Amino acid sequence: MTKIASEEAKRIIEHYLVCKDDLTYFDILKYGVSQKEAGCLLNNWHQFDRPDIYSVSSEKIYGIEHFEYDAHGRHKRGSLQRKENNLITKEMKQKAYGMLKDNDSCVISREMQSKANEDNYKNNFIYAFNTHYSKIDNYRIRLLERAGSNKIPVSMWFIAEDVTALGAHIIHRSKTGATCNLAWPLLFPEVEEIFMQSDKIDGIIYADNYYKKLTLIKRDKNAVDEFKKHNLYPNDKFLFFELHTVLISEKIQ
């Protein structure tokens, strides 16, 4: 396991740990997934590499591959949101260091120039999904090697994490007012079609740290229809927030 892969798996396990000291940190929403299968999927996680995580039940071995997506543009090396945020942080620290030579404190703010939008949100998810799906056969082989048997069934799942700054939301307007709900890539017809045709995975887990939810969706028409029934509304519009970074620094005497 490479150091980068090990750190990613460790972060996922620590960040999305479902149970600790008998306390449930995340709400678990299930569509087409039984309580037993959810328990097998979400308990006894082990760090791995390609896929990131595995868990073993008495019946099968589960492989869970993690990927991130956001609603900003991307370049050859990845997310523009991540690149710009790193540059802003570096520049603000350098500016603060210079200002503190003549001042006891300083406040610096910057606005991210990259703007989030609906098309980037959809396309980035599809890109990440397809990239990881192209490696599914390799993931399966490695899990069988880990199990030491070619006879044990393997169940592959994705865990998809929306890392859009301040989250991606949908505004639902009705006669009684407006509500702000989570955005879901699976509500795009193109994404649903890709998901349903990807028969080498059994399902997907949407991980949302802001609302503390893990949403498990089986790759099954009835499960997807049930998910849409609870989350798809007419006249919905996407809502993204513009990110402003503020750095407050004080000289230590």
Side-chain angles (χ1 to χ4, degrees):
M1 181 185 298
T2 65
K3 182 178 180 181
I4 294 177
S6 176
E7 288 301 316
E8 180 182 14
K10 181 180 179 181
R11 184 192 71 81
I12 299 165
I13 291 173
E14 291 179 348
H15 197 63
Y16 290 106
L17 189 66
V18 177
C19 294
K20 184 178 181 181
D21 300 328
D22 296 325
L23 296 176
T24 301
Y25 283 13
F26 282 80
D27 288 332
I28 311 300
L29 305 177
K30 305 182 295 294
Y31 296 94
V33 180
S34 68
Q35 184 64 37
K36 179 181 178 181
E37 186 170 26
C40 293
L41 265 170
L42 299 177
N43 290 314
N44 302 314
W45 280 5
H46 300 275
Q47 291 179 226
F48 203 50
D49 181 16
R50 294 170 293 156
D52 296 305
I53 298 165
Y54 76 88
S55 63
V56 181
S57 72
S58 59
E59 300 173 351
K60 63 181 70 173
I61 183 169
Y62 292 88
I64 303 174
E65 175 67 6
H66 168 264
F67 65 81
E68 297 178 349
Y69 61 99
D70 63 55
H72 290 257
R74 59 176 294 110
H75 56 83
K76 292 182 179 180
R77 294 187 178 181
S79 168
L80 288 176
Q81 171 186 280
R82 179 179 297 174
K83 178 182 178 181
E84 188 173 354
N85 188 56
N86 290 339
L87 286 174
I88 288 175
T89 301
K90 181 179 179 180
E91 290 174 1
M92 290 176 70
K93 286 182 178 179
Q94 291 175 342
K95 187 174 181 180
Y97 180 77
M99 293 177 67
L100 289 176
K101 291 180 179 179
D102 302 315
N103 301 277
D104 292 332
S105 63
C106 67
V107 178
I108 306 170
S109 65
R110 282 282 304 275
E111 178 182 351
M112 183 174 287
Q113 298 303 306
S114 172
K115 305 300 181 184
N117 63 58
E118 184 176 335
D119 285 339
N120 286 335
Y121 181 78
K122 176 184 67 177
N123 294 333
N124 288 345
F125 179 88
I126 291 174
Y127 176 85
F129 185 100
N130 287 339
T131 298
H132 288 269
Y133 188 77
S134 68
K135 304 171 185 176
I136 284 291
D137 290 335
N138 178 253
Y139 299 158
R140 189 177 299 274
I141 290 171
R142 287 181 53 77
L143 288 170
L144 291 173
E145 290 174 348
R146 181 66 177 178
S149 170
N150 290 325
K151 297 181 179 180
I152 185 171
V154 174
S155 179
M156 280 300 310
W157 287 69
F158 284 155
I159 179 167
E161 184 178 9
D162 182 358
V163 294
T164 303
L166 303 180
H169 303 81
I170 287 180
I171 296 296
H172 170 57
R173 301 186 185 279
S174 64
K175 293 181 180 179
T176 58
T179 57
C180 183
N181 304 304
L182 274 176
W184 302 95
L186 193 54
L187 296 181
F188 290 101
E190 305 97 308
V191 174
E192 179 184 347
E193 182 179 3
I194 292 171
F195 178 59
M196 293 304 298
Q197 291 177 350
S198 302
D199 58 3
K200 295 180 181 180
I201 62 171
D202 288 328
I204 191 166
I205 303 169
Y206 284 105
D208 181 76
N209 186 51
Y210 185 81
Y211 289 101
K212 301 295 182 184
K213 291 182 179 180
L214 291 175
T215 303
L216 285 61
I217 307 172
K218 194 86 167 181
R219 193 186 58 80
D220 171 86
K221 186 179 186 306
N222 291 334
V224 172
D225 287 346
E226 183 69 14
F227 168 78
K228 289 162 61 179
K229 178 181 176 181
H230 287 85
N231 295 282
L232 182 61
Y233 301 95
N235 303 317
D236 285 347
K237 292 187 177 181
F238 273 80
L239 171 67
F240 301 103
F241 297 99
E242 294 186 0
L243 183 64
H244 293 256
T245 303
V246 178
L247 176 65
I248 302 174
S249 302
E250 184 175 350
K251 184 186 296 184
I252 299 176
Q253 303 295 338

